Amino acid sequence: MEPPAGRAKPSATLVGLLQSWLGSCAWRAGAGGESGLGSCPPERPLSMPRFPGKMRLETLAWVVVALGVLASASPTPQLGASIFADLSPAELRAVQSFLLSRPELGLVAGRADSLASNSLFLVELQVPRKSQALQFLDGGSPRPPRLARAIIFFGEQAQPNVTEFVVGPLPRPSYCRPVSYKGGRPVPFAARPVGLLEYQLMHRRLLQLLEPLDRLLRDTAGFWYHNCSQRCLTFSDVAPRGLGPGERRSWLILQRAVEGHFLHPVGLELLLDHGSRDPGRWALQQLWYNGQYFASAQELAGRYERGELALAPPPAPELLFSTYQPRGRFSTGTPTDVHGAKVCEPQGKRYRVQGNLVEYGGWRLALRLRSSSGLQLFDLRFNGQRLAHELSVQEAVAFYGGHTPAGMQTKFIDSSWGMGTLAHELAPGIDCPEVATYLDVHHLYDAPGPVRYPRALCLFELPTGVPLRRHFDSNAQGGYRFYGGLEGRALVLRTTATVYNYDYIWDVLLYPNGVLEAKVHATGYLHATFYTPPGLHYGTRLHHDLLGNLHTHLVHYKVDLDVAGTRNSFETVDVRFENISNPWQAGERVVQPRLHRRPCRSERQAAFPFGTALPRYLLISSPTQRNRWGHPRSYRIQYSSQADRVLPRGWKEEQGVAWGRYHLAVTRHHEKEATSSSLYAQHDPWQPALDFESFLRNDENIENQDLVAWVTVGFLHIPHAEDVPNTATPGNAVGFFLRPFNFFDEDPSVASRSPVIVRPRDPAAARVEIQRWTPASPGPCVSAEPFHYNGTYWQE
């Protein structure tokens, strides 16, 4: 843009000052110091800079022009990432204060002490609409307003409910507007997640309800619930909480309160009705003890007093078989009481973290930890080209089978337990290497204010232990022509979620060849029930009175790929055998594989139910952009999974996890289809607030459209003795890869300066030429000896 004749252009100094001003605290993520991933506190006001020297009014007028130029340019990477940053503590408090100030909401301040009150349950970032975000990130549009999502439990009303609000703009909110899920159905009060207050009230009520069973529990389990000080019982509750909409009845498993209590059931399970807002009306509806059902605690106690009860076996003498305390010896005697191999960074970190912006090699992305579902990545780019707008965890489920009522009722839908808030502190040297970068996060979830979660995420560069690529070029005469290799490295983004007994380890790995891997490891304690002989149809006996119940894990991801632009198409590629005449030998036939491509033109064609074979190549491509060799620029989704359905299609609770019907479903992008699950799916799966099947019902065209891939991975877990004390990570990881498929002209890792090339120069004297672009020795943490290589082979 040129100024009118006679007007001066804004000076470079002026533009620089404006850039500095616009890049100040109010625009930068993470500068507030309170949060590793948050944005700046709003208390610091914006102020215009002082301009040096005398400045003519004409030049001042061109401030507006300079601002316009800056607004039309693409934002800095850090500024771009900041629109996806989690809310800072100051922003969380601002939303909380604003909502408390609204008299029509009638919110209680602090932590509520009654279920019959209006309470603020959750505040988190409301992610900008994709269209707004891309217009800002790609230049030409203003920064999207910073908004919050808030969930309020309206328990004080005659017809209680759960309502979600969008609150904004931050840092000084001035409005809140209610929002609904697709279809507009209100969220029933019974569908709300169970909060800390409700658990406290359950505990207090059980102290009263279990008093008649005090003697039975003391005599048979050696632990008790009523008036307990040392040998106490605790409980694990299972869900869904009932058999249909509107119910809030939970089966509870009583367990000894010892280290690893999940593996210490005492043989008593309780069905507690806690649907009323008045805990005094909560009641036990049924009890199960050692294979028998009872209508009340009094009935069970009376049977025991009269000697008519088949008693559970006494507690095992090895009470703490569930502990991490070492026991036994390895047969070889090799040392385990010294430190093993460690990850080190001999020349420092090769990645960069600024606020919520991560850069590594060709990779750049923004990250956040959503309170409900966990890890979300945005604006994923390689060498400056956007590959995906979003990659995020949507849901994790574990559906069980069992002989006890709690075992057969357990169908965990984990985002309803606040999966993102269950990312507790990572242990250096165990959960992540000591040299990792650790990030704190803040949540306002079922709490009177923002809560800091230290070291909730970590990032580190990992030696994969296998070359990214290598070749030994033999001369077939005892020598070689050359050796070339590139060390295998990846940047790991990691967080965890301990959902009751299970620990999920969530990883995203970024490789230097443009490959991304998303995977989850399952570890932690088994969800186990009391052993009875019929239970062997549903699991494995793991100890004297312990049954490990079979279950299926499914994990759902949203992958909003933008391959060479937002206009993409989807096709599958596999092979079929052809039988043709041999062109070079008359009368002979050749059978060989031939590529079979299947473009998917509608959403139903791009939905692959469990029970059907999944094509081996799943490609999202640009219909208009081609690489140097004429191929559509594409990315491939490649599975590492043994997933299958958890229930027959349409059966009661299965409706709440409709996404779990499909290996993969590809749909058109819609803002109303931003997530595949909700906080309410666990407690009302029968009439879910969000129905994933509706994403596919209209069977929209997906050719040359903005597409989203919904990826399901998982595995069947039949527990075995080696799951005690914990399920181990080897063999219990599933996920998928995003791999470039003709997206580039060659492997982009050729830009790495880490390869080594060895060429023989005088084989007789074992002289070689070593070509490398990094220091000869990694440093003392690995070996002080420089790299060397011989490469010859011969018979002695």
Side-chain angles (χ1 to χ4, degrees):
M1 176 184 293
E2 290 297 322
R7 303 283 186 175
K9 293 182 182 179
S11 67
T13 302
L14 172 59
V15 173
L17 283 167
L18 287 167
Q19 288 174 325
S20 175
W21 175 57
L22 292 174
S24 65
C25 179
W27 288 71
R28 293 199 314 272
E34 282 192 280
S35 170
L37 294 180
S39 61
C40 301
E43 289 81 1
R44 178 174 174 179
L46 286 171
S47 59
M48 280 293 292
R50 293 181 177 272
F51 297 110
K54 295 181 179 180
M55 181 175 291
R56 294 181 301 170
L57 291 175
E58 292 88 344
T59 305
L60 278 172
W62 275 96
V63 169
V64 178
V65 177
L67 286 171
V69 171
L70 292 173
S72 65
S74 296
T76 64
Q78 189 176 356
L79 179 58
S82 71
I83 68 173
F84 304 111
D86 278 314
L87 301 183
S88 70
E91 290 174 316
L92 292 169
R93 283 191 290 267
V95 174
Q96 183 182 34
S97 298
F98 173 73
L99 293 174
L100 286 170
S101 72
R102 301 294 293 261
E104 70 273 19
L105 299 178
L107 294 175
V108 296
R111 190 180 289 280
D113 59 4
S114 169
L115 297 176
S117 61
N118 298 345
S119 59
L120 178 62
F121 183 74
L122 166 70
V123 178
E124 65 179 1
L125 175 72
Q126 176 73 20
V127 175
R129 289 174 172 267
K130 180 178 180 180
S131 57
Q132 288 181 308
L134 294 189
Q135 288 166 12
F136 171 66
L137 294 170
D138 297 337
S141 291
R143 176 189 174 101
R146 194 132 165 95
L147 304 175
R149 173 194 186 210
I151 296 178
I152 295 178
F153 294 170
F154 287 102
E156 193 177 11
Q157 302 175 177
Q159 298 295 325
N161 68 81
V162 179
T163 303
E164 297 196 10
F165 294 87
V166 170
V167 183
L170 297 174
R172 295 176 181 84
S174 60
Y175 69 86
C176 65
R177 66 172 186 269
V179 295
S180 62
Y181 284 89
K182 188 175 181 180
R185 194 173 69 88
V187 178
F189 196 61
R192 72 193 186 280
V194 176
L196 179 60
L197 172 63
E198 193 167 358
Y199 278 119
Q200 292 171 340
L201 295 173
M202 290 168 71
H203 169 67
R204 294 173 197 168
R205 187 61 176 147
L206 286 176
L207 290 174
Q208 302 167 340
L209 296 173
L210 290 179
E211 186 174 358
L213 300 178
D214 188 60
R215 182 179 172 187
L216 166 65
L217 292 170
R218 286 175 182 264
D219 292 351
T220 61
F223 286 66
W224 54 95
Y225 206 96
H226 182 72
N227 288 335
C228 160
S229 58
Q230 288 185 339
R231 297 175 68 82
C232 298
L233 291 174
T234 186
F235 68 85
S236 290
D237 58 321
V238 306
R241 303 180 190 278
L243 300 175
E247 295 187 16
R248 206 164 178 86
R249 300 185 298 153
S250 299
W251 277 101
L252 314 178
I253 306 171
L254 286 194
Q255 301 153 329
R256 299 178 182 91
V258 297
E259 204 169 273
H261 65 89
F262 304 103
L263 303 187
H264 296 273
V266 298
L268 179 60
E269 297 180 0
L270 318 166
L271 179 58
L272 177 67
D273 185 345
H274 52 111
S276 172
R277 287 172 285 172
D278 177 7
R281 300 177 61 184
W282 294 358
L284 293 179
Q285 292 189 332
Q286 284 196 71
L287 298 88
W288 179 94
Y289 179 77
N290 193 29
Q292 305 168 75
Y293 285 89
F294 302 89
S296 68
Q298 289 75 15
E299 180 192 355
L300 174 57
R303 293 276 299 274
Y304 175 64
E305 296 292 342
R306 296 190 297 271
E308 301 172 357
L309 188 66
L311 299 178
E318 314 161 60
L319 193 58
L320 286 186
F321 64 90
S322 55
T323 182
Y324 267 73
Q325 192 76 22
R327 48 195 179 270
R329 298 281 180 184
F330 289 122
S331 62
T332 63
T334 54
T336 59
D337 55 357
V338 295
H339 286 290
K342 297 288 184 179
V343 174
C344 71
E345 297 169 334
Q347 274 98 43
K349 298 188 185 305
R350 305 201 307 175
Y351 61 91
R352 184 164 52 238
V353 181
Q354 296 176 287
N356 69 319
L357 174 70
V358 177
E359 296 177 309
Y360 172 70
W363 287 99
R364 189 173 82 211
L365 56 87
L367 63 82
R368 70 176 290 234
L369 193 64
R370 187 182 183 213
S371 298
S372 52
S373 57
L375 190 63
Q376 285 187 299
L377 309 180
F378 290 97
D379 197 25
L380 295 89
R381 304 186 187 216
F382 193 89
N383 286 345
Q385 301 179 79
R386 183 179 295 113
L387 304 179
H389 175 67
E390 178 185 352
L391 188 155
S392 58
V393 178
Q394 295 292 299
E395 189 57 274
V397 306
F399 278 38
Y400 287 75
H403 177 64
T404 75
M408 65 181 68
Q409 180 68 6
T410 303
K411 299 169 184 67
F412 287 135
I413 305 175
D414 290 335
S415 71
S416 298
W417 306 74
M419 196 158 55
T421 68
L422 301 175
H424 299 291
E425 183 172 2
L426 297 166
I430 303 171
D431 295 324
C432 311
E434 290 88 345
V435 297
T437 298
Y438 294 86
L439 300 176
D440 301 344
V441 300
H442 291 81
H443 298 290
L444 202 165
Y445 181 95
D446 191 25
V451 177
R452 173 175 167 264
Y453 289 72
R455 293 181 171 179
L457 294 118
C458 73
L459 300 92
F460 58 94
E461 189 176 20
L462 177 71
T464 62
V466 61
L468 185 73
R469 44 189 169 82
R470 59 95 69 188
H471 180 65
F472 178 85
D473 199 49
S474 171
N475 64 5
Q477 299 177 16
Y480 64 107
R481 300 180 183 90
F482 78 93
Y483 165 83
L486 175 61
E487 61 185 2
R489 304 277 177 178
L491 184 71
V492 180
L493 287 63
R494 174 170 294 169
T495 187
T496 61
T498 302
V499 189
Y500 248 119
N501 54 299
Y502 255 110
D503 293 62
Y504 295 109
I505 302 173
W506 304 97
D507 283 354
V508 172
L509 288 82
L510 307 175
Y511 295 93
N513 60 341
V515 172
L516 180 149
E517 180 183 6
K519 67 179 177 181
V520 56
H521 293 84
T523 180
Y525 286 98
L526 290 170
H527 175 65
T529 57
F530 193 77
Y531 169 74
T532 59
L536 292 175
H537 295 291
Y538 309 99
T540 306
R541 188 179 187 181
L542 302 176
H543 217 264
H544 297 291
D545 51 8
L546 183 68
L547 183 86
N549 294 68
L550 70 86
H551 54 282
T552 296
H553 289 278
L554 292 183
V555 174
H556 204 224
Y557 290 88
K558 177 183 181 180
V559 187
D560 184 353
L561 282 163
D562 290 338
V563 180
T566 57
R567 295 288 186 169
N568 291 157
S569 296
F570 175 73
E571 72 169 344
T572 66
V573 184
D574 218 313
V575 295
R576 290 182 176 178
F577 291 112
E578 66 174 5
N579 188 327
I580 61 174
S581 299
N582 191 325
W584 51 271
Q585 183 68 54
E588 295 291 334
R589 309 287 296 178
V590 172
V591 175
Q592 64 179 355
R594 180 187 178 119
L595 290 176
H596 175 69
R597 299 182 180 273
R598 178 177 171 262
C600 296
R601 296 182 168 84
S602 69
E603 291 173 328
R604 282 293 179 194
Q605 290 181 5
F608 300 90
F610 287 122
T612 60
L614 187 66
R616 286 175 284 185
Y617 276 68
L618 308 160
L619 303 180
I620 291 185
S621 310
S622 169
T624 59
Q625 301 294 314
R626 298 182 178 270
N627 73 355
R628 183 181 176 186
W629 316 115
H631 302 293
R633 298 179 66 192
S634 309
Y635 253 76
R636 175 190 177 193
I637 302 171
Q638 178 178 322
Y639 278 67
S640 300
S641 171
Q642 302 88 42
D644 205 344
R645 59 185 183 171
V646 292
L647 284 174
R649 183 185 178 109
W651 175 258
K652 293 185 176 181
E653 299 90 352
E654 189 271 347
Q655 298 173 86
V657 292
W659 52 265
R661 299 168 181 171
Y662 305 99
H663 292 284
L664 172 70
V666 179
T667 65
R668 279 173 67 168
H669 177 274
H670 292 289
E671 293 294 342
K672 275 287 190 179
E673 298 175 355
T675 60
S676 62
S677 190
S678 78
L679 275 174
Y680 319 109
Q682 178 70 89
H683 302 105
D684 191 356
W686 311 280
Q687 295 178 353
L690 192 158
D691 177 17
F692 180 78
E693 193 66 31
S694 69
F695 293 14
L696 306 173
R697 201 162 285 138
N698 54 3
D699 198 21
E700 290 184 287
N701 177 272
I702 59 170
E703 293 182 289
N704 198 21
Q705 302 289 338
D706 190 359
L707 303 182
V708 177
W710 304 92
V711 175
T712 307
V713 296
F715 63 96
L716 169 67
H717 186 180
I718 301 175
H720 45 89
E722 294 79 12
D723 284 317
V724 175
N726 274 181
T727 296
T729 53
N732 287 316
V734 293
F736 64 94
F737 292 85
L738 298 179
R739 299 179 57 187
F741 189 82
N742 295 316
F743 184 85
F744 303 102
D745 297 332
E746 61 180 345
D747 184 342
S749 70
V750 295
S752 172
R753 297 302 186 263
S754 298
V756 174
I757 306 172
V758 183
R759 298 182 179 90
R761 285 294 173 257
D762 185 354
R767 289 179 55 236
V768 298
E769 174 193 344
I770 299 173
Q771 192 173 10
R772 65 182 310 158
W773 292 262
T774 55
S777 171
C781 76
V782 178
S783 170
E785 185 178 355
F787 176 87
H788 64 279
Y789 193 85
N790 185 297
T792 58
Y793 55 101
W794 59 87
Q795 182 177 354
E796 293 186 355

